[in-house]
Amino acid sequence: MKRAPAIVVQLVHIEGPLKGEIQEFSEPAISIGRYPEYHVHFPKDLAIVSREHSWIKREGNRFKVINKSRNGTFLNGKRVEEAYLKDGDVLMFAEGGPKLSFLTEMVEGQPEIESAPPPGPLKEPEVPLAEKPPMARVEPEPGHADEVSIQRVQVPLVIQYGPTLQSFKELPVTIGKNPDCAFTLDHPAILDSHAQIFFSQEQYWVKDLTGQKLILINGQPVGLQAPFNPNDTLDFSPQGPSFRFLGGGRLAEVEEPEPDESLKASHDKEETPPEKEPSYRGLKGAMSILKKFLHR
Protein backbone atom coordinates (compact mmCIF):
# COMPACT_ATOMS: atom_id res chain seq x y z
CA MET A 1 0.00 0.00 0.00
CA LYS A 2 1.27 3.47 -0.87
CA ARG A 3 0.35 6.91 0.29
CA ALA A 4 -1.35 9.31 -2.08
CA PRO A 5 1.15 10.80 -4.52
CA ALA A 6 2.48 14.28 -3.84
CA ILE A 7 2.94 16.85 -6.57
CA VAL A 8 5.96 19.13 -6.53
CA VAL A 9 5.66 22.42 -8.43
CA GLN A 10 8.83 23.70 -10.10
CA LEU A 11 8.97 27.37 -11.04
CA VAL A 12 11.86 28.13 -13.41
CA HIS A 13 12.61 31.85 -13.65
CA ILE A 14 13.51 32.76 -17.25
CA GLU A 15 13.36 36.57 -17.09
CA GLY A 16 13.56 39.12 -14.30
CA PRO A 17 15.61 39.60 -11.10
CA LEU A 18 15.37 35.88 -10.21
CA LYS A 19 16.45 34.67 -13.67
CA GLY A 20 18.15 31.28 -13.57
CA GLU A 21 16.63 30.23 -10.22
CA ILE A 22 14.44 27.13 -9.91
CA GLN A 23 12.07 27.05 -6.94
CA GLU A 24 10.20 23.95 -5.77
CA PHE A 25 7.01 23.92 -3.72
CA SER A 26 4.72 21.17 -2.41
CA GLU A 27 2.24 23.53 -0.73
CA PRO A 28 -1.39 23.59 -1.97
CA ALA A 29 -1.14 27.37 -2.55
CA ILE A 30 1.86 29.40 -3.74
CA SER A 31 1.85 33.16 -3.20
CA ILE A 32 3.64 35.52 -5.60
CA GLY A 33 4.41 39.21 -5.11
CA ARG A 34 6.68 41.73 -3.36
CA TYR A 35 5.72 40.80 0.19
CA PRO A 36 8.88 39.32 1.82
CA GLU A 37 6.88 36.49 3.40
CA TYR A 38 5.46 35.28 0.07
CA HIS A 39 6.73 32.05 -1.45
CA VAL A 40 7.93 33.83 -4.61
CA HIS A 41 8.90 37.35 -3.59
CA PHE A 42 10.42 39.89 -5.94
CA PRO A 43 12.54 42.90 -4.86
CA LYS A 44 10.55 45.66 -3.17
CA ASP A 45 11.78 48.25 -5.71
CA LEU A 46 10.28 46.27 -8.64
CA ALA A 47 7.16 48.43 -8.66
CA ILE A 48 5.68 46.78 -11.76
CA VAL A 49 4.95 43.72 -9.59
CA SER A 50 2.23 44.23 -6.96
CA ARG A 51 2.74 43.36 -3.31
CA GLU A 52 0.15 40.62 -3.78
CA HIS A 53 0.30 39.82 -7.47
CA SER A 54 -0.81 36.23 -8.08
CA TRP A 55 -1.55 32.87 -6.50
CA ILE A 56 -1.05 29.36 -7.82
CA LYS A 57 -3.56 27.02 -6.13
CA ARG A 58 -3.98 23.28 -6.33
CA GLU A 59 -7.38 21.81 -7.19
CA GLY A 60 -7.18 18.02 -7.03
CA ASN A 61 -4.30 17.13 -9.34
CA ARG A 62 -4.56 20.39 -11.28
CA PHE A 63 -3.18 23.85 -10.61
CA LYS A 64 -4.79 27.21 -11.31
CA VAL A 65 -3.21 30.67 -11.51
CA ILE A 66 -5.29 33.49 -9.99
CA ASN A 67 -4.52 37.14 -10.73
CA LYS A 68 -4.63 39.63 -7.83
CA SER A 69 -3.00 42.65 -9.47
CA ARG A 70 -4.29 45.56 -11.54
CA ASN A 71 -1.09 45.23 -13.58
CA GLY A 72 -2.25 41.82 -14.73
CA THR A 73 -0.96 38.25 -14.93
CA PHE A 74 -0.19 36.81 -18.37
CA LEU A 75 -0.31 33.13 -19.37
CA ASN A 76 1.66 32.36 -22.55
CA GLY A 77 1.35 36.02 -23.53
CA LYS A 78 -2.41 36.33 -22.85
CA ARG A 79 -3.80 38.25 -19.89
CA VAL A 80 -5.89 36.06 -17.58
CA GLU A 81 -7.77 36.39 -14.31
CA GLU A 82 -7.97 32.66 -13.63
CA ALA A 83 -6.66 29.78 -15.73
CA TYR A 84 -5.55 26.17 -15.32
CA LEU A 85 -1.86 25.50 -15.88
CA LYS A 86 -0.03 22.73 -17.71
CA ASP A 87 3.64 21.78 -17.80
CA GLY A 88 5.73 24.23 -19.83
CA ASP A 89 3.32 27.18 -19.49
CA VAL A 90 5.01 30.58 -19.17
CA LEU A 91 3.67 33.11 -16.64
CA MET A 92 4.50 36.82 -16.79
CA PHE A 93 3.69 39.17 -13.92
CA ALA A 94 2.67 42.54 -15.41
CA GLU A 95 3.38 43.50 -19.00
CA GLY A 96 7.13 43.38 -19.52
CA GLY A 97 7.58 41.96 -16.01
CA PRO A 98 9.32 38.85 -14.69
CA LYS A 99 8.68 35.53 -16.44
CA LEU A 100 8.77 31.98 -15.15
CA SER A 101 7.90 28.55 -16.48
CA PHE A 102 5.55 26.19 -14.65
CA LEU A 103 6.37 22.49 -14.25
CA THR A 104 5.08 19.71 -12.03
CA GLU A 105 6.55 16.43 -10.88
CA MET A 106 4.61 13.53 -9.36
CA VAL A 107 6.34 12.08 -6.29
CA GLU A 108 5.17 8.70 -5.07
CA GLY A 109 4.56 8.28 -1.33
CA GLN A 110 6.72 6.08 0.84
CA PRO A 111 5.74 2.37 1.05
CA GLU A 112 3.81 1.18 4.09
CA ILE A 113 4.73 -1.73 6.38
CA GLU A 114 3.32 -4.30 3.90
CA SER A 115 6.27 -3.68 1.59
CA ALA A 116 8.81 -4.18 4.39
CA PRO A 117 10.85 -7.41 4.59
CA PRO A 118 8.98 -10.34 6.20
CA PRO A 119 9.43 -10.87 9.96
CA GLY A 120 12.44 -12.88 10.98
CA PRO A 121 15.49 -12.85 13.21
CA LEU A 122 16.93 -9.38 13.55
CA LYS A 123 20.43 -9.18 12.15
CA GLU A 124 22.53 -6.72 10.27
CA PRO A 125 22.59 -7.21 6.50
CA GLU A 126 25.88 -8.22 5.06
CA VAL A 127 26.10 -4.98 3.05
CA PRO A 128 24.23 -1.97 4.56
CA LEU A 129 21.95 -0.32 2.05
CA ALA A 130 23.53 3.08 2.68
CA GLU A 131 26.90 1.78 1.53
CA LYS A 132 25.72 0.39 -1.81
CA PRO A 133 25.52 3.59 -3.92
CA PRO A 134 29.14 4.70 -3.24
CA MET A 135 30.43 1.19 -3.92
CA ALA A 136 28.45 0.82 -7.12
CA ARG A 137 29.11 4.35 -8.37
CA VAL A 138 31.92 4.71 -10.85
CA GLU A 139 33.16 8.24 -11.41
CA PRO A 140 35.69 8.23 -14.23
CA GLU A 141 37.65 11.32 -14.94
CA PRO A 142 36.63 13.36 -18.01
CA GLY A 143 37.86 11.50 -21.07
CA HIS A 144 37.36 8.04 -19.52
CA ALA A 145 37.36 5.53 -22.35
CA ASP A 146 35.17 2.74 -20.87
CA GLU A 147 31.66 2.87 -22.24
CA VAL A 148 28.78 2.69 -19.76
CA SER A 149 25.71 0.86 -21.03
CA ILE A 150 22.74 3.11 -21.79
CA GLN A 151 19.24 1.98 -20.89
CA ARG A 152 15.85 3.66 -20.82
CA VAL A 153 15.17 4.97 -17.31
CA GLN A 154 12.19 6.87 -15.87
CA VAL A 155 13.99 9.93 -14.44
CA PRO A 156 13.28 13.65 -14.98
CA LEU A 157 15.29 16.05 -17.14
CA VAL A 158 14.53 19.76 -17.55
CA ILE A 159 16.53 21.86 -20.03
CA GLN A 160 16.32 25.66 -20.13
CA TYR A 161 17.90 27.34 -23.15
CA GLY A 162 17.01 31.00 -23.68
CA PRO A 163 13.19 31.25 -23.62
CA THR A 164 12.87 27.52 -24.34
CA LEU A 165 12.08 25.20 -21.47
CA GLN A 166 11.52 21.51 -22.13
CA SER A 167 10.80 18.73 -19.67
CA PHE A 168 11.44 15.00 -20.14
CA LYS A 169 10.38 12.12 -17.93
CA GLU A 170 12.50 9.41 -19.56
CA LEU A 171 16.16 9.19 -20.53
CA PRO A 172 18.24 8.95 -22.70
CA VAL A 173 17.59 12.23 -24.52
CA THR A 174 19.44 13.10 -27.74
CA ILE A 175 20.49 16.73 -28.32
CA GLY A 176 21.44 18.28 -31.64
CA LYS A 177 20.53 20.62 -34.47
CA ASN A 178 18.52 17.98 -36.37
CA PRO A 179 14.74 18.36 -35.80
CA ASP A 180 14.56 14.62 -35.17
CA CYS A 181 16.50 15.09 -31.91
CA ALA A 182 14.47 15.05 -28.70
CA PHE A 183 15.89 18.49 -27.82
CA THR A 184 16.79 20.75 -30.74
CA LEU A 185 19.65 23.11 -29.96
CA ASP A 186 19.95 25.93 -32.49
CA HIS A 187 23.54 27.12 -32.15
CA PRO A 188 26.33 27.52 -34.76
CA ALA A 189 28.65 25.11 -32.93
CA ILE A 190 26.06 22.32 -32.56
CA LEU A 191 26.08 19.35 -34.99
CA ASP A 192 23.00 17.48 -36.22
CA SER A 193 23.47 14.73 -33.62
CA HIS A 194 25.64 16.27 -30.91
CA ALA A 195 25.12 14.77 -27.44
CA GLN A 196 23.09 12.34 -25.38
CA ILE A 197 22.04 12.75 -21.75
CA PHE A 198 21.41 9.48 -19.91
CA PHE A 199 21.18 8.11 -16.37
CA SER A 200 23.30 5.30 -14.98
CA GLN A 201 24.81 4.29 -11.63
CA GLU A 202 22.71 6.87 -9.76
CA GLN A 203 24.13 9.75 -11.84
CA TYR A 204 23.37 11.82 -14.91
CA TRP A 205 25.84 11.34 -17.77
CA VAL A 206 26.61 13.05 -21.07
CA LYS A 207 27.83 11.19 -24.15
CA ASP A 208 29.72 12.97 -26.93
CA LEU A 209 28.19 11.97 -30.27
CA THR A 210 30.37 14.31 -32.35
CA GLY A 211 33.47 12.10 -32.47
CA GLN A 212 35.51 15.31 -32.12
CA LYS A 213 35.74 15.57 -28.31
CA LEU A 214 33.82 18.84 -28.36
CA ILE A 215 31.89 18.41 -25.10
CA LEU A 216 33.51 19.60 -21.88
CA ILE A 217 32.71 19.33 -18.17
CA ASN A 218 34.26 22.13 -16.10
CA GLY A 219 36.53 22.91 -19.05
CA GLN A 220 37.80 19.34 -19.53
CA PRO A 221 36.83 17.19 -22.58
CA VAL A 222 34.64 14.22 -21.65
CA GLY A 223 36.08 12.02 -24.39
CA LEU A 224 33.41 9.39 -25.00
CA GLN A 225 31.13 9.96 -21.98
CA ALA A 226 31.32 11.13 -18.38
CA PRO A 227 29.04 11.81 -15.37
CA PHE A 228 28.34 15.29 -14.10
CA ASN A 229 27.40 16.55 -10.63
CA PRO A 230 25.46 19.53 -9.21
CA ASN A 231 27.06 22.91 -10.02
CA ASP A 232 29.18 21.39 -12.82
CA THR A 233 29.41 23.43 -16.02
CA LEU A 234 28.58 21.52 -19.19
CA ASP A 235 29.88 23.05 -22.45
CA PHE A 236 28.60 21.48 -25.65
CA SER A 237 31.61 22.93 -27.47
CA PRO A 238 34.47 25.35 -26.71
CA GLN A 239 32.31 28.02 -28.37
CA GLY A 240 29.24 27.12 -26.29
CA PRO A 241 26.46 26.90 -25.49
CA SER A 242 27.15 26.42 -21.79
CA PHE A 243 24.86 24.98 -19.13
CA ARG A 244 25.00 24.55 -15.37
CA PHE A 245 23.69 21.35 -13.80
CA LEU A 246 21.48 22.40 -10.89
CA GLY A 247 20.83 18.90 -9.62
CA GLY A 248 17.62 16.92 -9.87
CA GLY A 249 17.99 16.62 -13.64
CA ARG A 250 17.91 20.38 -14.30
CA LEU A 251 20.18 22.02 -16.88
CA ALA A 252 20.07 25.83 -17.14
CA GLU A 253 21.88 27.88 -19.77
CA VAL A 254 24.79 30.00 -18.58
CA GLU A 255 24.75 33.23 -20.53
CA GLU A 256 27.97 35.05 -21.39
CA PRO A 257 28.14 38.48 -19.70
CA GLU A 258 27.73 41.36 -22.08
CA PRO A 259 30.76 43.64 -22.42
CA ASP A 260 30.60 46.88 -20.44
CA GLU A 261 29.80 49.59 -22.99
CA SER A 262 31.49 52.29 -20.89
CA LEU A 263 34.74 50.30 -20.78
CA LYS A 264 34.50 49.61 -24.51
CA ALA A 265 33.99 53.33 -25.22
CA SER A 266 36.92 54.19 -22.97
CA HIS A 267 39.10 51.62 -24.73
CA ASP A 268 38.11 52.92 -28.15
CA LYS A 269 38.89 56.44 -27.02
CA GLU A 270 42.35 55.43 -25.84
CA GLU A 271 43.11 53.75 -29.14
CA THR A 272 42.16 56.83 -31.20
CA PRO A 273 45.33 58.89 -31.65
CA PRO A 274 44.92 62.58 -30.79
CA GLU A 275 44.71 64.91 -33.73
CA LYS A 276 47.88 66.86 -34.34
CA GLU A 277 47.48 70.60 -34.26
CA PRO A 278 48.80 72.31 -37.37
CA SER A 279 52.36 73.62 -37.01
CA TYR A 280 53.17 76.96 -38.54
CA ARG A 281 56.83 77.11 -37.54
CA GLY A 282 58.13 75.92 -40.92
CA LEU A 283 55.82 78.32 -42.83
CA LYS A 284 56.95 81.37 -40.80
CA GLY A 285 60.59 80.50 -41.36
CA ALA A 286 60.08 80.24 -45.09
CA MET A 287 58.30 83.63 -45.22
CA SER A 288 61.17 85.28 -43.30
CA ILE A 289 63.78 83.99 -45.76
CA LEU A 290 61.63 85.11 -48.69
CA LYS A 291 61.34 88.70 -47.30
CA LYS A 292 65.14 89.00 -46.83
CA PHE A 293 65.68 87.81 -50.39
CA LEU A 294 63.25 90.37 -51.82
CA HIS A 295 64.84 93.34 -49.97
CA ARG A 296 68.29 92.75 -51.30
Side-chain angles (χ1 to χ4, degrees), residues 173-175 191 193-196 207-212 215 223-224:
V173 166
T174 303
I175 299 172
L191 305 181
S193 183
H194 198 93
Q196 192 174 50
K207 181 174 182 177
D208 191 334
L209 302 179
T210 68
Q212 303 176 31
I215 299 176
L224 178 63

Side-chain angles (χ1 to χ4, degrees), residues 8 10 31 35 48 82 97 139 168 183 196 218 235 252 259 262:
V8 175
Q10 294 181 330
S31 51
Y35 282 126
I48 194 172
E82 291 188 7
E139 297 189 6
F168 304 92
F183 187 82
Q196 192 174 50
N218 299 326
D235 296 306
S262 61

Side-chain angles (χ1 to χ4, degrees), residues 2 15 89-90 92 101 136 165 216 222 248 279:
K2 291 187 177 181
E15 284 188 20
D89 279 346
V90 175
M92 180 173 65
S101 182
L165 186 81
L216 306 97
V222 304
S279 174

Side-chain angles (χ1 to χ4, degrees), residues 5-7 28 57-64 84 106:
I7 300 179
K57 294 187 177 181
R58 180 173 178 176
E59 295 184 359
N61 287 338
R62 303 178 71 186
F63 289 85
K64 176 188 286 185
Y84 285 104
M106 192 79 72

Side-chain angles (χ1 to χ4, degrees), residues 34 36 47 83 91 121 123 128 136 142 184 196 204 213 218 220 239 273:
R34 287 190 288 120
L91 291 170
K123 60 179 182 179
T184 304
Q196 192 174 50
Y204 287 85
K213 298 184 178 181
N218 299 326
Q220 298 297 318
Q239 295 78 36

Side-chain angles (χ1 to χ4, degrees), residues 1 13 16 34 58 71 82 99 127 148 158 160 188 220 239 262 265 287:
M1 183 183 296
H13 294 265
R34 287 190 288 120
R58 180 173 178 176
N71 292 339
E82 291 188 7
K99 289 183 181 180
V127 180
V148 177
V158 179
Q160 178 262 317
Q220 298 297 318
Q239 295 78 36
S262 61
M287 292 296 292

